[in-house]
Amino acid sequence: MECGVYISDKSGNSFANLFRAERILYDGRSAYQKIMVFDTQDLGRVLMLDDFFNVSTIMEAFYHEPMAHIPLAMAENRENVLIVGGGDFGVAKHVLKHSDVRQLTLCELDPRILEISREFFSDWAACEKDPRLSVRVGDGAKYIEECPPESLDAVIIDTTDPFFNASVLVTDAFYTRVLKALRPGGVMIQIIADFIFYRSAWFDVLPVARRNFPTFRPVFVPIPLYVTGCWGLLLAGRRKGQLDISAVSQAYLDRIGGVETMTPDLVRGWMSLPPFLEKEFAPWLEK
Amino acid sequence: MECGVYISDKSGNSFANLFRAERILYDGRSAYQKIMVFDTQDLGRVLMLDDFFNVSTIMEAFYHEPMAHIPLAMAENRENVLIVGGGDFGVAKHVLKHSDVRQLTLCELDPRILEISREFFSDWAACEKDPRLSVRVGDGAKYIEECPPESLDAVIIDTTDPFFNASVLVTDAFYTRVLKALRPGGVMIQIIADFIFYRSAWFDVLPVARRNFPTFRPVFVPIPLYVTGCWGLLLAGRRKGQLDISAVSQAYLDRIGGVETMTPDLVRGWMSLPPFLEKEFAPWLEK
C-alpha cells in the first residue's frame, strides 16, 4: 500500500474492502445517514452511505443497467415507472433511455442525497432536465401506498441494504402495497444481498417473496465495487411466467442503445443460480 | 472492524482486500515465494502466495470447477491432462472426477507448496491417492517442451498471476510449446486477470493469443476471494470452432456429478463479454 487515506466500508467482522481516497469531497451526516463522497484512482468517484460503499462512477453500469433494463424488458408496458430511493440518479438515467417510458417518479427519502448528487454526480443528475422525471422527497413505502391501484409498470427499489437500514422494504406489508400498485403485467426489482457474507438475508427475503409474488427470481449481477463482487437482486412479477429471460433480446438492447454491461447471454447467466445455491433456495423457488 | 489480525493482499496502490485471520497456520518463504496459510470466518482456509490471496476452501469451486470442466468439455478427448502449477490440488481434484481422464500430470514448480497442501489442504491433496495422478516437481514450461508432440488433450495453467511472476507463460515461446504438445482437438485454459484493476494484462495477452491460437476466448468467472470478484481465464484451442459452449450441457455436468457452481446458462454468460469489453478487446478477438 502507498501512504494515504484508506477508507474501508463497514463490511463484516471478518473482511473489509479498502480504497485509497485521492480526495475526500464530502463527509457529513444528514437526518437519515452518514454520507461520504471521495475520489479513487480505479473506480472513480465513490458515494458511501452509512459506511457502506454505495456506488462508483467507474463501472456504475454493472449495477444501474440491470436494475433498469431487466425489469423494463419483462414488464408488459413501460409507461409509468417508480424508483424508490435511487437519489444518485444512476438508475433514473438508464430508465430514461427508454423512449416508451412516459413518466418516471423517483422517491428519495433523504433530500441531502439529491443535493449531493447534483453537486458531485452531476452527469447523472443531469437527467433531471428530462420532463418525464418527477423527483419527490419522502418515504417510498408511503408513496406506493398512495399510488392509484394498478398504475405502475415497474417499481425499482434502489435503497441501502434491506438487511440493515431498509428492512421495512422486505415485508409482507410492503410487498402487498407494491403488488397493489403494479399493473397486471408489472414488475418489481429490488437490491438484496450477496450470497456469501450476507447470504442469510436471502433466507429472510425468499419466504416473504414466495408468500406474496406469483413469480420471482434472484438475479446475481457482477458489481465490482461490492465485497465478493457479485450482488443479488430480487426480480418479481404480478403474472406467472412473465419473467421470461428471452425478453432481454439483442434487439431490445440495441433499441436502448449504448448498453455497456448486458448481453442476452450474460443476463441468462445472471438469472441462473449456481447449483449449490439453487439447492439452498429450492424450498422457496418456483418449481 | 473487530480487533484482530487483518491481512491484506498486495492488491494495487488504490485498493485492498482485508481478511481477519482467525489463526495463522503458516507463514514462511520457499525458494520461490512467500507462503502464508490462515483461517478466516467466512471463506475458510486461505492460501496466500507472494502477498496475493490465491485460494480459499469455502467457494473454491468457483475457480476450480471452471478451470477443470470447461476445457474438458471442449477438448475432443479427455485421456491425458496436464496441470501446470496447481500444487494445491484444487483443480486436480475436479479433473479426476472425470472417469475418462486416464492420466493427469501435475507439474508444480515449488515443492513447498505440495507439502503445505498435504498438511493444510489435506481434503484436496487426498486426490493424490488416485493412481491416474502423477505429481512432478519442476518448471511446467520445460515439462511441456519435453512432452511428446500431440500427446495432451488439455493443458490447465493454474499458476500465480501471469502479469507478475508467471509472465513467461504468456509468451509466443510458451504458447508454441503448448500447441505442439496438444493433440489436434486439444484445449488450454489459463488464469489471466480481472478486467478492472489488471485490465492492462489482457492487452498484453490477447495479441500473443491471437498470433498463436487458431481459436480462443476470454472467460470471466466469479471468484469471490479476488478483488472485483470477477476473474478472467483464457480458453484456447488448436482447432477453429472447437470452443463450442454447448459442450457444457446439463448432461455433461450431470455425468461429472456434484458440480456446485456451473450450469450451461452460467457458462454461456461467463463466455459472453460485456459490450464495453467486447469493443476494447475486438482487435484481437475472432470475428
Side-chain angles (χ1 to χ4, degrees), chain A:
Chain A
M1 286 189 192
E2 289 193 353
C3 77
V5 176
Y6 281 82
I7 299 178
S8 162
D9 78 353
K10 203 182 200 167
S11 304
N13 292 331
S14 79
F15 61 93
N17 270 358
L18 285 182
F19 282 94
R20 187 156 65 91
E22 306 275 313
R23 203 156 77 99
I24 294 171
L25 297 146
Y26 184 87
D27 184 13
R29 181 181 278 280
S30 73
Y32 297 96
Q33 55 200 335
K34 282 174 68 178
I35 303 171
M36 199 174 202
V37 179
F38 59 93
D39 283 338
T40 67
Q41 182 184 288
D42 294 283
L43 288 176
R45 189 158 290 177
V46 173
L47 174 67
M48 193 166 182
L49 298 180
D50 270 346
D51 298 324
F52 280 101
F53 298 136
N54 189 273
V55 78
S56 63
T57 51
I58 295 180
M59 300 291 145
E60 58 89 21
F62 273 106
Y63 174 57
H64 293 144
E65 286 186 348
M67 285 290 275
H69 303 323
I70 294 179
L72 291 183
M74 293 172 189
E76 256 172 45
N77 293 289
R78 287 188 274 272
E79 285 179 16
N80 194 2
V81 178
L82 170 66
I83 298 172
V84 174
D88 54 41
F89 297 96
V91 175
K93 173 171 72 92
H94 292 283
V95 169
L96 291 167
K97 285 188 173 182
H98 292 264
S99 57
D100 40 6
V101 168
R102 288 202 194 159
Q103 195 179 339
L104 171 62
T105 308
L106 188 160
C107 187
E108 167 63 54
L109 186 65
D110 186 348
R112 185 77 67 84
I113 292 288
L114 297 168
E115 293 157 21
I116 293 280
S117 303
R118 288 170 190 134
E119 185 168 355
F120 297 110
F121 297 85
S122 55
D123 283 358
W124 302 352
C127 72
E128 274 198 285
K129 285 181 213 136
D130 192 311
R132 296 172 296 162
L133 174 64
S134 327
V135 177
R136 284 165 170 274
V137 173
D139 177 342
K142 234 180 234 163
Y143 179 78
I144 285 191
E145 196 168 22
E146 289 155 14
C147 284
E150 307 206 334
S151 62
L152 298 170
D153 294 302
V155 174
I156 299 172
I157 302 169
D158 176 26
T159 58
T160 50
D161 296 307
F163 48 90
F164 287 115
N165 300 330
S167 59
V168 65
L169 303 182
V170 289
T171 57
D172 290 302
F174 179 67
Y175 287 163
T176 303
R177 289 180 198 180
V178 170
L179 277 161
K180 207 175 136 207
L182 282 175
R183 287 195 181 145
V187 169
M188 179 196 86
I189 196 162
Q190 179 175 29
I191 184 154
I192 305 293
D194 82 321
F195 59 74
I196 299 177
F197 296 120
Y198 303 111
R199 197 188 309 173
S200 65
W202 282 99
F203 298 106
D204 295 335
V205 170
L206 289 170
V208 190
R210 179 77 181 163
R211 278 199 295 276
N212 288 281
F213 286 102
T215 183
F216 66 92
R217 284 295 297 174
V219 184
F220 283 94
V221 297
I223 304 184
L225 178 66
Y226 294 175
V227 66
T228 75
C230 186
W231 217 254
L233 317 171
L234 179 72
L235 178 68
R238 263 197 66 176
R239 180 143 45 218
K240 232 179 152 62
Q242 88 179 108
L243 304 182
D244 177 8
I245 304 174
S246 60
V248 187
S249 63
Q250 196 53 55
Y252 169 76
L253 296 172
D254 289 345
R255 226 165 24 241
I256 301 167
V259 174
E260 292 184 330
T261 66
M262 297 169 68
T263 66
D265 281 348
L266 275 165
V267 175
R268 198 170 281 276
W270 299 342
M271 292 184 67
S272 177
L273 290 176
F276 84 94
L277 215 54
E278 180 86 29
K279 213 164 145 187
E280 288 192 19
F281 288 1
W284 303 283
L285 297 179
E286 286 174 67
K287 302 298 168 245

Side-chain angles (χ1 to χ4, degrees), chain B residues 122-180:
Chain B
S122 55
D123 282 0
W124 302 353
C127 73
E128 273 198 284
K129 284 182 213 135
D130 192 310
R132 297 173 296 163
L133 174 63
S134 328
V135 177
R136 286 167 167 273
V137 173
D139 177 343
K142 231 178 235 164
Y143 179 79
I144 284 191
E145 197 169 20
E146 289 155 13
C147 284
E150 307 205 336
S151 62
L152 298 171
D153 294 302
V155 174
I156 298 171
I157 302 168
D158 176 25
T159 59
T160 50
D161 295 307
F163 48 89
F164 286 113
N165 299 331
S167 58
V168 65
L169 303 183
V170 289
T171 57
D172 290 303
F174 179 67
Y175 288 163
T176 303
R177 289 180 198 180
V178 170
L179 277 161
K180 207 176 136 207

Side-chain angles (χ1 to χ4, degrees), chain B residues 216-228:
Chain B
F216 67 93
R217 284 294 296 174
V219 184
F220 283 94
V221 296
I223 305 185
L225 177 66
Y226 294 175
V227 65
T228 76

Side-chain angles (χ1 to χ4, degrees), chain B:
Chain B
M1 287 190 191
E2 289 193 354
C3 77
V5 176
Y6 280 81
I7 298 178
S8 163
D9 78 353
K10 203 182 201 165
S11 304
N13 291 332
S14 80
F15 61 93
N17 270 359
L18 286 181
F19 282 94
R20 188 155 65 90
E22 305 275 313
R23 202 156 77 100
I24 295 172
L25 298 146
Y26 184 88
D27 184 12
R29 182 181 277 281
S30 73
Y32 296 98
Q33 55 200 335
K34 282 174 67 179
I35 303 171
M36 199 173 202
V37 180
F38 59 93
D39 284 338
T40 67
Q41 183 185 288
D42 294 283
L43 288 176
R45 188 158 290 177
V46 173
L47 174 68
M48 192 167 184
L49 298 180
D50 270 346
D51 298 324
F52 280 102
F53 298 137
N54 188 273
V55 78
S56 63
T57 52
I58 294 179
M59 300 293 145
E60 58 89 20
F62 271 106
Y63 174 57
H64 293 145
E65 286 186 347
M67 284 290 275
H69 303 324
I70 293 180
L72 292 183
M74 292 171 189
E76 254 172 47
N77 293 289
R78 287 188 276 271
E79 285 180 16
N80 194 3
V81 177
L82 169 67
I83 298 172
V84 174
D88 54 41
F89 297 96
V91 175
K93 173 171 72 91
H94 292 284
V95 169
L96 291 167
K97 285 188 172 180
H98 291 263
S99 56
D100 40 7
V101 168
R102 287 202 194 160
Q103 196 180 336
L104 171 61
T105 307
L106 189 160
C107 187
E108 168 63 54
L109 187 64
D110 187 348
R112 186 77 68 84
I113 292 288
L114 298 168
E115 293 157 21
I116 294 279
S117 303
R118 288 172 189 132
E119 185 168 354
F120 298 110
F121 298 85
S122 55
D123 282 0
W124 302 353
C127 73
E128 273 198 284
K129 284 182 213 135
D130 192 310
R132 297 173 296 163
L133 174 63
S134 328
V135 177
R136 286 167 167 273
V137 173
D139 177 343
K142 231 178 235 164
Y143 179 79
I144 284 191
E145 197 169 20
E146 289 155 13
C147 284
E150 307 205 336
S151 62
L152 298 171
D153 294 302
V155 174
I156 298 171
I157 302 168
D158 176 25
T159 59
T160 50
D161 295 307
F163 48 89
F164 286 113
N165 299 331
S167 58
V168 65
L169 303 183
V170 289
T171 57
D172 290 303
F174 179 67
Y175 288 163
T176 303
R177 289 180 198 180
V178 170
L179 277 161
K180 207 176 136 207
L182 282 175
R183 286 194 182 147
V187 169
M188 179 196 85
I189 197 162
Q190 178 175 32
I191 184 154
I192 305 294
D194 82 322
F195 59 74
I196 300 176
F197 296 120
Y198 302 111
R199 196 187 310 172
S200 64
W202 281 100
F203 298 106
D204 295 334
V205 170
L206 289 170
V208 190
R210 179 76 181 164
R211 278 199 295 276
N212 289 280
F213 286 102
T215 183
F216 67 93
R217 284 294 296 174
V219 184
F220 283 94
V221 296
I223 305 185
L225 177 66
Y226 294 175
V227 65
T228 76
C230 187
W231 217 255
L233 317 172
L234 179 71
L235 178 67
R238 261 197 66 176
R239 180 142 45 218
K240 232 178 152 62
Q242 88 179 110
L243 304 182
D244 177 8
I245 304 175
S246 60
V248 186
S249 63
Q250 195 55 54
Y252 169 76
L253 296 171
D254 288 345
R255 227 162 26 238
I256 302 167
V259 174
E260 292 183 330
T261 66
M262 297 169 68
T263 66
D265 281 349
L266 275 165
V267 175
R268 199 170 281 277
W270 299 341
M271 292 185 66
S272 177
L273 290 176
F276 84 96
L277 215 53
E278 180 86 29
K279 214 164 143 187
E280 289 191 19
F281 288 1
W284 302 283
L285 296 180
E286 285 174 66
K287 302 299 167 244

